[in-house]
Amino acid sequence: MSKEKHNIKFPEGFLWGTSTSAYQIEGGIINDWSEWEKSDERKQDLEKKGKKVEEFVSGLACDSWNRYQEDFSLAKDLNNNAIRFGIEWARVEPSKGVWDVKVINHYRDMLECAKKNNFKIALTIWHWTNPLWFRDKGGWTARTSSQDFLEFVNLVIKEFGAYVDYWVVLNEPMIHVFNAYVIAKFPPARKNIWLANKVFNNLVKAYKESSIAIHKHFPEAQVGITQLVNNFEPAHKFNLIEILISRTLHYFWNHRFLKKINKYMDYVGLDYYFHDRIVWYPPFKKNLNKEVNDMNWEIYPRGIYNVLKYLHKFRKPILILENGLADKNDLHRADFIIDHLLFVHQAIEEGIDVCAYFYWSLLDNFEWAEGYKPCFGLYEVDRKTMERKKRASADVYGKICKDNGIIF
Ligand code: BGC
């Protein structure tokens, strides 16, 4: 599709942005992730797999803590009118009830700078990482977790609320539940379904209470989360078992959390990366993988249209807050963006209220358990000099943002 000629426009006022998260780019953060990365358990696991431990330690990340002005101008160069970034709870509240004034001022400067660049701001409050004191209380399994989080959110409301256009209270809660408490790939790396369920419920509670608190101060606030929505499909259209498995996965992975918080969401925040063809025999997934990214994830643009159709059921504006791929050599990125956007446009034409697209990510960054190898950035980052270098696909995205459309 991307090879054909296009002349399509997005609705006026459509938001074009890029997304990042605090832990993945700022550098120098001490939290539950930074300590887990250095734990013997993690090191031994990596060594067993023949990996170099240092590639899996976030360290200075992209040093965006010190280079945020430069990063915002990179986003400006892409003609973005919106930006999504996060703040790090562990920095703001390093000990229970202790607020770091310097850090608060720094984040305020960042928000000011984003406003000066005329960006609409989508601010992520929690993106999987926790302060050490919170971890020590049991993290999200603790009965007090939502209350602790709410105290942080209240601080955010008071100090930063005036700058925020879109509140992303939680990033992909299901990933934390699943990766940290079911498959033990993220800290605290436990395999315990009972705990997973507790964490799920506490995150729901934390979200609802946060949404109420934000609306108390800002009645018109746009509050939501990002939800990783996968496009599950039976591999064989008429196979009843495959249909049943796909629907069950869809319910537990895509729908259940959103259903629980529906009344408290002003918009639906979508992160789209995955298409899963479900078969009835183990391992239950059989993707055709005709075209894949560097992480072997199937590239399947139609999937974004399918999940948008599902999200339309919530009857709220939809913000695509993440969509992107790991593609170090930039072979697929430009086509990837165009092809996904063509499907987004089709959805809009059919009456689905999509009002924003944020590419993940502005920069190559710390890709969690996968370390520094995957490159999602529109800009490369030289991790020795921290120099940012534009990839060719960034110009394609920049033109789309400028034209508010796909005109090639
Ligand atoms: C997360 C990001 C991550 C990206 C690519 C999303 O699930 O929110 O933090 O880097 O996917 O894997």
Side-chain angles (χ1 to χ4, degrees):
M1 275 195 319
S2 48
K3 310 281 178 295
E4 296 160 18
K5 275 217 165 306
H6 298 287
N7 189 350
I8 62 167
K9 280 278 199 186
F10 280 71
E12 213 176 297
F14 194 83
L15 297 181
W16 297 101
T18 46
S19 279
T20 57
S21 87
Y23 191 65
Q24 293 177 272
I25 63 165
E26 281 184 4
I29 294 174
I30 299 168
N31 61 19
D32 58 345
W33 255 93
S34 68
E35 297 316 284
W36 177 75
E37 283 160 14
K38 292 178 234 141
S39 68
D40 290 342
E41 173 203 358
R42 172 71 169 152
K43 280 188 196 155
Q44 280 156 14
D45 185 42
L46 287 171
E47 276 158 8
K48 237 196 277 161
K49 291 178 182 147
K51 311 246 164 140
K52 285 193 196 139
V53 175
E54 63 275 15
E55 284 173 16
F56 295 83
V57 172
S58 61
L60 259 194
C62 306
D63 192 29
S64 293
W65 182 252
N66 298 307
R67 292 166 196 259
Y68 69 86
Q69 287 161 322
E70 181 187 348
D71 292 346
F72 288 165
S73 43
L74 299 180
K76 200 75 212 166
D77 279 351
L78 301 177
N79 307 301
N80 284 184
N81 55 9
I83 196 155
R84 175 179 168 217
F85 59 93
I87 48 175
E88 183 68 32
W89 184 8
R91 272 201 206 273
V92 177
E93 192 182 6
S95 313
K96 171 77 190 148
V98 176
W99 308 103
D100 190 322
V101 178
K102 265 202 193 140
V103 166
I104 293 172
N105 288 340
H106 182 98
Y107 279 131
R108 193 176 305 102
D109 290 347
M110 259 174 90
L111 289 155
E112 282 276 349
C113 179
K115 276 285 161 229
K116 276 197 193 119
N117 278 290
N118 288 322
F119 292 132
K120 292 274 183 216
I121 298 175
L123 186 73
T124 311
I125 301 181
W126 180 82
H127 200 123
W128 303 338
T129 51
N130 304 303
L132 294 178
W133 59 265
F134 181 83
R135 173 200 69 180
D136 294 342
K137 286 173 81 177
W140 287 97
T141 67
R143 209 172 22 88
T144 48
S145 53
S146 64
Q147 182 54 35
D148 285 334
F149 184 68
L150 186 63
E151 282 161 30
F152 168 54
V153 170
N154 275 322
L155 185 281
V156 175
I157 293 169
K158 183 170 133 247
E159 300 288 349
F160 311 133
Y163 298 97
V164 180
D165 297 290
Y166 293 93
W167 298 79
V168 185
V169 176
L170 305 175
N171 180 72
E172 300 178 1
M174 288 308 295
I175 285 281
H176 183 66
V177 171
F178 189 74
N179 283 7
Y181 293 93
V182 180
I183 59 168
K185 191 179 163 190
F186 283 11
R190 313 265 311 260
K191 283 189 188 173
N192 184 324
I193 294 289
W194 186 71
L195 289 182
N197 199 45
K198 251 186 164 180
V199 170
F200 177 95
N201 289 329
N202 283 332
L203 285 166
V204 168
K205 188 159 181 260
Y207 175 77
K208 285 184 185 168
E209 291 170 353
S210 303
S211 174
I212 293 168
I214 295 166
H215 282 110
K216 213 155 93 195
H217 289 78
F218 300 100
E220 302 302 317
Q222 289 293 307
V223 185
I225 65 166
T226 63
Q227 177 80 329
L228 180 71
V229 183
N230 291 10
N231 182 201
F232 296 110
E233 274 182 331
H236 308 93
K237 234 180 167 177
F238 301 109
N239 183 311
L240 286 180
I241 304 173
E242 292 177 359
I243 294 171
L244 191 71
I245 301 172
S246 307
R247 291 202 181 157
T248 309
L249 288 171
H250 170 75
Y251 176 76
F252 283 103
W253 188 253
N254 295 338
H255 190 64
R256 191 162 160 246
F257 200 97
L258 291 180
K259 193 182 83 166
K260 296 251 180 210
I261 64 165
N262 187 13
K263 273 207 228 129
Y264 302 82
M265 287 192 305
D266 298 285
Y267 68 86
V268 184
L270 165 66
D271 290 356
Y272 171 71
Y273 293 95
F274 297 105
H275 175 231
D276 292 323
R277 285 193 172 84
I278 302 302
V279 287
W280 58 270
Y281 45 88
F284 303 107
K285 206 170 100 174
K286 196 178 179 192
N287 279 16
L288 299 177
N289 283 355
K290 284 185 189 145
E291 206 186 344
V292 292
N293 72 16
D294 293 348
M295 296 168 90
N296 225 17
W297 299 355
E298 185 189 1
I299 297 176
Y300 188 67
R302 175 176 288 279
I304 202 165
Y305 169 80
N306 295 342
V307 300
L308 285 171
K309 279 195 97 154
Y310 149 63
L311 292 176
H312 184 49
K313 298 198 170 105
F314 289 92
R315 303 278 156 195
K316 298 182 198 237
I318 301 171
L319 275 75
I320 299 165
L321 287 165
E322 283 185 38
N323 175 232
L325 82 170
D327 182 19
K328 188 172 174 34
N329 296 324
D330 211 27
L331 301 174
H332 305 285
R333 190 172 283 102
D335 287 351
F336 176 101
I337 294 173
I338 293 174
D339 289 345
H340 281 76
L341 283 172
L342 288 171
F343 277 112
V344 173
H345 188 262
Q346 188 181 327
I348 295 173
E349 292 276 279
E350 291 174 18
I352 300 179
D353 183 12
V354 186
C355 54
Y357 178 88
F358 288 70
Y359 177 80
W360 181 276
S361 182
L362 179 66
L363 307 170
D364 286 348
N365 59 45
F366 180 69
E367 180 52 26
W368 305 108
E370 313 306 324
Y372 278 108
K373 205 161 166 229
C375 297
F376 280 82
L378 291 166
Y379 290 86
E380 289 176 48
V381 177
D382 179 323
R383 300 231 332 110
K384 285 204 183 90
T385 61
M386 292 296 168
E387 194 195 332
R388 279 81 164 128
K389 206 168 123 207
K390 206 182 210 183
R391 289 197 165 94
S393 56
D395 283 327
V396 173
Y397 186 51
K399 174 164 162 44
I400 292 172
C401 301
K402 181 161 175 248
D403 294 341
N404 191 32
I406 306 174
I407 303 167
F408 289 102

